[in-house]
Amino acid sequence: MASPPLFFLIFLSVVSAVKLPLSPFSHYTDQLPNNDPYLALRRLADSSIARAQQLKQPSSIKPNEDPLYASSAAVKSPLTPKSYGGYSVSLSFGTPSQTIPFVFDTGSSLVWFPCTSRYLCSGCNFPGLEPTRITRFVPKDSSSSRVIGCQNPKCKFLFGSNVKCRGCDPNTRNCTVACPPYILQYGLGSTAGILLSEKLNFAELTVPDFVIGCSILSTRQPAGIAGFGRGPESLPSQMNLKRFSHCLVSRRFDDTKVSTDLDLDTGSGHKTGSKTPGLSYTPFRNNPNVSNSAFLEYYYLNLRRIFVGSKRVKIPYKFLAPGPDGNGGSIVDSGSTFTFMERPVFELVAEAFATQMSNYSREKELEKITGLGPCFNISGEGSVTVPELTFEFKGGAKMELPLSNYFTLVGSIDNVCLTVVSDNPDSTAGGRRGPAIILGSFQQQNYHVEYDLENDRFGFARKKCSP
């Protein structure tokens, strides 16, 4: 790879939108004995909780040390569901292009891929996904790969203005020292590597000088992450997107070959302030101004009320709005499978369901096995009545979830469980930290969801998502 150029120029796009296939991403259920549904749900619940804990107490990104655009009407990419609970999108980088699958993640910002033929992944020995089968990007095979220098302004995307360039004379711009390595945490996994400048290639569009993480070592990360958060290193920020949207297909936590489009809108195809017909909108909430910069990457929502059936659950305001310390409030996160609620909020919601479904027997043992709850036995019932779960946002927009988005059959047709998770009561002994409610991808199935970045609002509408 050649020496890093000192400055990068980003040219304005004349492309209106990009469409990418979005599909469910998987590796968990294939490794379970006899595809045990109880253990599968347990792992999904545990991973959702681990993800929530990481989002609530994020570690800052830290160094591992003391141009041409073609005209087009749309750019799309397939978005596909996978058995572990996430969604996958394939992106192409380099010259010539190398296509890599990524996990679609609105809760983080860096885009990174498994990198070099020597990429190592600890804890990735999943049946059917041996480390040798992980798709890697090979920089030496791309003529456009450049290591980002420490004095390059884009090095500050991750490390801020206080990045230390050891061995560089601060009075000269001719330093050839590379930007420091990064280390990132993702719930149960982690990754480490260096920053590259590369070409991001779509069918009708090329984005030059795109900052991409070249990860060399990871733990439990068999695929890269496509960060769609609010940080400057995210894909939406680097492409200067006006909005992006998706419709997540319903999943059975398997590897069904289905996908829908992830739409990336650069803005030339719509009027400023225009709304997508049929969508309900609510403004994004301002991110809390706290010392941990990771909180600035999240998409905070103005969740005002939660209803179970016709009953409003009386959630204390401190959980609905982030305080000056960053604790409380709600965010939306495609990287979380099940919606997370802090224990006091979860208990109020769970109690509302238990009260309104008291004619069904509780399955406490099943709750222990799966990590979900409340669970109910519905055997012998000619018809089952389940109260609706509704989230109401600022401006009156209501997300009235279909039953399949918040209850699931478990093991047989006799048992159902609420697919909302919370942490262990002991884990909250030290007090609240971070967002109190995290809206996960399971609850977003069969919704057209739009992140309108230009107008700083969140739009949604129920829709049957199909290829």
Side-chain angles (χ1 to χ4, degrees):
M1 295 179 289
S3 299
L6 294 177
F7 299 97
F8 300 97
L9 297 177
I10 296 296
F11 296 92
L12 293 178
S13 170
V14 297
V15 173
S16 171
V18 180
K19 288 185 179 291
L20 303 171
L22 193 62
S23 58
F25 192 84
S26 155
H27 60 250
Y28 280 115
T29 55
D30 290 342
Q31 61 179 317
L32 304 179
N34 300 318
N35 288 328
D36 186 329
Y38 301 108
L39 186 54
L41 284 171
R42 181 77 207 195
R43 294 198 178 191
L44 288 167
D46 289 346
S47 67
S48 297
I49 293 170
R51 168 75 172 186
Q53 291 171 342
Q54 186 271 325
L55 291 172
K56 289 163 65 63
Q57 302 180 57
S59 57
S60 298
I61 297 174
K62 50 192 177 186
N64 190 14
E65 62 173 7
D66 199 303
L68 297 177
Y69 293 91
S71 179
S72 172
V75 184
K76 296 177 179 285
S77 184
L79 197 59
T80 307
K82 298 295 182 180
S83 62
Y84 89 103
Y87 287 78
S88 172
V89 60
S90 290
L91 300 172
S92 298
F93 287 91
T95 309
S97 288
Q98 301 176 44
T99 301
I100 310 290
F102 294 83
V103 176
F104 170 64
D105 184 13
T106 61
S108 67
S109 292
L110 181 65
V111 182
W112 67 266
F113 42 43
C115 194
T116 80
S117 59
R118 297 184 178 181
Y119 175 76
L120 297 176
C121 186
S122 174
C124 289
N125 291 297
F126 305 125
L129 188 59
E130 289 75 18
T132 55
R133 296 182 57 188
I134 294 175
T135 304
R136 299 163 168 83
F137 182 86
V138 183
K140 69 178 182 179
D141 292 341
S142 171
S143 63
S144 51
S145 282
R146 302 288 187 273
V147 175
I148 288 183
C150 191
Q151 290 184 332
N152 188 306
K154 292 187 177 181
C155 183
K156 297 178 182 179
F157 281 3
L158 262 68
F159 302 112
S161 58
N162 295 323
V163 59
K164 296 180 180 180
C165 302
R166 295 188 176 183
C168 287
D169 183 347
N171 298 317
T172 179
R173 292 186 178 275
N174 296 322
C175 180
T176 58
V177 173
C179 187
Y182 59 81
I183 300 175
L184 298 174
Q185 299 289 331
Y186 292 96
L188 296 174
S190 62
T191 192
I194 61 174
L195 293 181
L196 298 181
S197 171
E198 254 299 0
K199 286 183 178 180
L200 171 57
N201 304 305
F202 301 100
E204 299 103 350
L205 167 67
T206 297
V207 184
D209 301 331
F210 189 94
V211 176
I212 181 81
C214 169
S215 283
I216 301 169
L217 177 65
S218 298
T219 301
R220 295 183 62 81
Q221 292 293 146
I225 301 289
F228 272 68
R230 287 184 174 273
E233 70 274 25
S234 74
L235 188 147
S237 295
Q238 292 197 65
M239 290 186 66
N240 194 29
L241 296 183
K242 303 305 180 185
R243 65 182 78 185
F244 64 92
S245 62
H246 57 70
C247 194
L248 302 181
V249 296
S250 57
R251 61 166 90 79
R252 292 171 295 179
F253 302 109
D254 57 16
D255 290 324
T256 302
K257 301 297 182 182
V258 295
S259 65
T260 52
D261 285 334
L262 171 63
D263 294 339
L264 312 180
D265 190 343
T266 59
S268 58
H270 71 276
K271 296 180 180 179
T272 300
S274 64
K275 294 183 177 181
T276 300
L279 296 192
S280 297
Y281 286 91
T282 182
F284 283 120
R285 192 181 192 100
N286 291 335
N287 294 54
N289 185 17
V290 294
S291 59
N292 195 325
S293 60
F295 280 35
L296 301 178
E297 300 184 28
Y298 303 156
Y299 293 97
Y300 277 83
L301 301 175
N302 279 288
L303 179 61
R304 292 292 180 83
R305 301 176 183 88
I306 298 177
F307 291 87
V308 175
S310 59
K311 175 182 173 58
R312 177 183 173 183
V313 182
K314 296 181 179 180
I315 308 297
Y317 183 75
K318 66 180 180 179
F319 294 108
L320 297 175
D325 56 1
N327 296 331
S330 305
I331 66 172
V332 56
D333 175 39
S334 67
S336 296
T337 303
F338 299 137
T339 288
F340 172 89
M341 297 179 179
E342 263 191 23
R343 178 58 57 174
V345 179
F346 173 80
E347 288 181 346
L348 290 171
V349 172
E351 180 183 5
F353 275 106
T355 299
Q356 296 182 46
M357 299 180 67
S358 59
N359 53 318
Y360 306 111
S361 60
R362 285 281 293 270
E363 291 287 347
K364 295 293 186 68
E365 190 61 32
L366 187 60
E367 294 172 10
K368 294 179 182 178
I369 295 173
T370 62
L372 299 175
C375 296
F376 303 94
N377 186 303
I378 58 173
S379 61
E381 300 289 341
S383 62
V384 179
T385 301
V386 178
E388 191 171 49
L389 177 60
T390 302
F391 299 119
E392 183 177 323
F393 301 93
K394 181 178 180 179
K398 292 183 179 181
M399 183 174 280
E400 299 169 326
L401 298 177
L403 180 59
S404 58
N405 280 29
Y406 61 100
F407 263 92
T408 186
L409 291 168
V410 181
S412 69
I413 61 172
D414 294 335
N415 301 307
V416 295
C417 293
L418 178 68
T419 52
V420 175
V421 298
S422 185
D423 43 14
N424 187 295
D426 296 335
S427 66
T428 59
R432 299 181 302 117
R433 292 187 180 182
I437 301 170
I438 301 171
L439 182 62
S441 62
F442 191 85
Q443 279 64 44
Q444 298 175 55
Q445 297 176 96
N446 290 308
Y447 269 88
H448 179 188
V449 172
E450 179 182 280
Y451 294 72
D452 186 346
L453 307 179
E454 182 178 36
N455 299 293
D456 206 31
R457 62 193 178 192
F458 182 71
F460 58 88
R462 281 180 60 173
K463 177 182 178 181
K464 179 62 177 177
C465 302
S466 57

